[in-house]
Amino acid sequence: MHMLLLVVALVIATAVGYKLLRAVPPMLHTPLMSGMNALSGVTLVAALAIAGAFTMGRYLGAMAIVLAGINIVGGFLVTHRMLKMFKKHRGEDNS
Amino acid sequence: MSGAWYMAGIVACVAGVIAGIRLMNSPRTAVLGNITGACALGFGVVLTLFHEGVATNLLVLGALLLAGILGGMLAYAVKTIHMPQTVALLNGLGGAASALVGLAILIGVDVVAVAERGASALALMVGAVTFSGSLTAAGKLSGLLPQQPVQVRRYRLYSTVLAVVLLGAALLLACNVGAQTVAPVALVVALGLGVLFAIRIGGADMPIAISLLNSMSGISAAIAGFAVNSLLLVAVGAIVGAAGFILTRIMCGAMNRSLRVVLAGATTTNARAATVEPDTAPTSDTVPSKPEKPDPVTLLREAETVVIVPGYGMAQAQAQMQVKQLADMLQERDTPVRFAIHPVAGRMPGHMHVLLAEVDVSYDLLFEMDAINDDFSSTDLVLVVGANDVVNPAASTAEDTPIYGMPILRAGEARHVIVCNLDDKPGYAGVPNTLYEQDNVVLMEGDAAETLKTLIAKLTDA
C-alpha cells in the first residue's frame, strides 16, 4: 500500500479517535483505557504477515502472535468484566 | 483473497472499531461498544489470516490458540484490586509484539525499502520502551518493585544519551548497516530506556505514566503498520495513540502538572522537604463551637447530607464493601449519600469508579470534582476514605510543593468531616495535610476497612 495513503489514514484516524474519545465520561476511563489497550494488540495483524512470510520471521512472528493475542483477548475480556459492573440501580426513580 | 476485497474488509473493520468507541461514551452502551470493537478486530484478524495465506499454518494457529487460552485465563483469574497492574501488563505485551515485528523485519528480510526499515526500527524501539516501561509500572503497582519513585541521579543525562544512541541506531538500521548486530543492541538500549522512565514514577504520577504508556503502545502499533503496509494497523494504532494522549492530558490537567515536567523527571519526591508552614488552615466559617471533637457515630446519625470521598487508601484497605454498607445504611435512614471523585484518585484514570462499581454502588451517585465541589459548603458531613492529597487545602497555599495549584475536592468546607486514613502522615506528595488540623475534622486513624466496620457496628447498635 502506498505510504502516502497510510499517512492520510493515520491523520484521519487520529482526528476521529480524538473527537470520539473526548466524549467518554471520566467514569469510564479505566474501561476505556483497558479497551484501547486491547486494541493495541492489533499488531497481531503484522505478526501474522511476518509469521507467514519468511523463515526467520516464523518464530519471532509466532512469539509476537502469542503476546499480541494475549493482549487482545485478555484486554477485551477484562474490559467486559469491568463494564458489566457498572449499573444504575435506582434507574426508575431518578433516570 | 483479492486485494480489493481485503481492503474493503479492513475498512469495515476500522469502521467497526470506531463505532465501538462511539458506544463507549455511556455506561449503558459501553458493554455493547466493547463487544463491537472486539468483533471488529476479530474480523480483521480472520481476514488477515486468509489474506496472508496462513489460515492453515499450524504454527500460527497454535500460537493463536495459546494466546486465546492464556488471555482468557488471565482475564478471569484477575481480581478487581489487581486491575491497574493487569492493564499495565497487557499494555506491555502489545508493545513487545510490535518490537518483535520490527526485529523480525530488520534481521530477517533483506529486500525492504528504506522507509519500511526505518519504520521497523522505530517499531522495535517504541515497542521495547513500552514493554519494559509497562512491566516496570506493573511491578510497582503490584508491590513487587518499590512504590516510591526511585531517584535516578543525572536522569536527564542518561536518558538523553540513550535516546541519542537509539536515534543513531535507527539511522543505521534504516540504511541497512549491520542490522544483525545493531538491531539487538537497539532493543536492549530501548528496554533500558523504558525501565529508566518508569522506575522514577511514583504512585501519584502513576495515572499519568499508565496513560502515556497506553498511548505509546498504540503508536508502536501504528509504526509497525507502516513497516508492514497495513492500513488496519495504522488506523487502529493511531486511535489508541490518541486515546492515551487524551487521558494523559486529562491526568496532567487534574494534577496541574505539565507532561514535559513529568517526562523531564521532576518527580514528586523533589519536595519531600515539604516546606509548609503549619499555619492556620484555611478556616471554615462553620467551625463547631465545642473545642473537643464530636463523636463520629453521632455525626453520621445526625447528618442530613453525606458526601463520601474515596481515595487510593480505600483500594489498599479493600474498604469499598464497607463503604457501600455504610452508604446503604445511611440511605435507609433517608440520608442522601453521594460520592465525590477526584480525577487522579487511585492509580489509574477512573480507578475509584471501577472499585465502587464492583460493590454495586450505582454510578448515578458518583460525581466528578467540578460537579460537586460547590456543594461541599452546604454538606453536613464528608467522609474521607483513604484520600489525602486530593483533599489537601495546602494545594492552594503551599507554594513550591508538588501539589501546589492542583485542583482539590474542597471537602474541608463541609460542616463536619470524618477522615478514615491510615495515619496522619503526609500523602503521596509529601505535603502535610492541613485538613487534619481543621476544627471541623475528626481523624480516625487506622485501616479504613476496620474503621468503617467499627462505625457500621456502632451505627447499627445506636
Side-chain angles (χ1 to χ4, degrees), chain A residues 1 3 6-7 9-10 13-14 16 18 20-34 36-40 42-52 54 56 58 60 62-90 94, chain B residues 7 17-18 21-22 24-27 30-31 34 38 41 45 48 52 54 59-60 63-64 67 71-72 75-76 78 83 87 90-91 93-94 96-98 104-105 107-109 115 210 214 217 226 228-229 231-235 238-240 243 246-247 249 348-351 353-354 357-358 360 362-365 368:
Chain A
M1 170 167 286
M3 211 45 130
L6 288 180
V7 175
L10 179 82
T14 309
V16 172
Y18 194 84
L20 285 181
L21 292 158
R22 271 170 53 127
V24 177
M27 179 199 314
L28 291 178
H29 277 168
T30 294
L32 170 71
M33 193 168 72
S34 147
M36 290 301 112
N37 188 350
L39 282 183
S40 73
V42 68
T43 200
L44 174 67
V45 168
L48 289 178
I50 298 291
F54 52 95
M56 184 60 200
R58 283 183 63 187
L60 286 175
M63 264 170 72
I65 291 175
V66 174
L67 295 177
I70 295 175
N71 187 189
I72 295 179
V73 175
F76 277 124
L77 288 176
V78 161
T79 311
H80 186 69
R81 266 187 55 187
M82 270 192 276
L83 286 173
K84 273 205 313 191
M85 300 189 307
F86 282 88
K87 289 182 206 110
K88 188 176 178 180
H89 294 279
R90 278 161 298 281
N94 53 2
Chain B
M7 215 54 235
V17 167
I18 289 174
I21 294 172
R22 178 83 180 69
M24 287 287 270
N25 64 10
S26 156
V31 174
N34 185 49
L41 198 58
V45 169
T48 310
E52 299 290 344
V54 289
L59 182 68
V60 168
L64 282 175
Y76 280 100
V78 69
M83 246 358 143
V87 172
L90 287 171
N91 196 48
L93 296 185
S98 294
I105 294 176
I107 64 174
V109 190
I210 295 272
N214 192 234
S217 72
F226 279 99
V228 298
N229 277 323
L231 175 69
L232 177 60
L233 229 64
V234 170
I239 292 173
V240 178
I246 291 171
L247 288 178
R249 277 193 50 189
M348 61 179 172
H351 194 178
H353 301 89
V354 173
E358 186 198 12
D360 283 345
S362 71
Y363 61 75
D364 47 341
L365 296 180
E368 304 305 324

Side-chain angles (χ1 to χ4, degrees), chain B residues 175-225:
Chain B
C175 305
N176 200 3
V177 179
Q180 303 294 337
T181 29
V182 178
V185 170
L187 178 65
V188 173
V189 173
L191 289 174
L193 187 60
V195 174
L196 193 62
F197 161 70
I199 198 86
R200 310 165 9 268
I201 304 288
D205 284 334
M206 221 23 130
I208 299 180
I210 295 272
S211 309
L212 191 64
L213 288 165
N214 192 234
S215 181
M216 280 173 60
S217 72
I219 294 170
S220 66
I223 298 173

Side-chain angles (χ1 to χ4, degrees), chain B residues 424-436:
Chain B
D424 60 355
K425 293 202 181 73
Y428 200 81
V431 184
N433 198 336
T434 51
L435 180 70
Y436 299 163

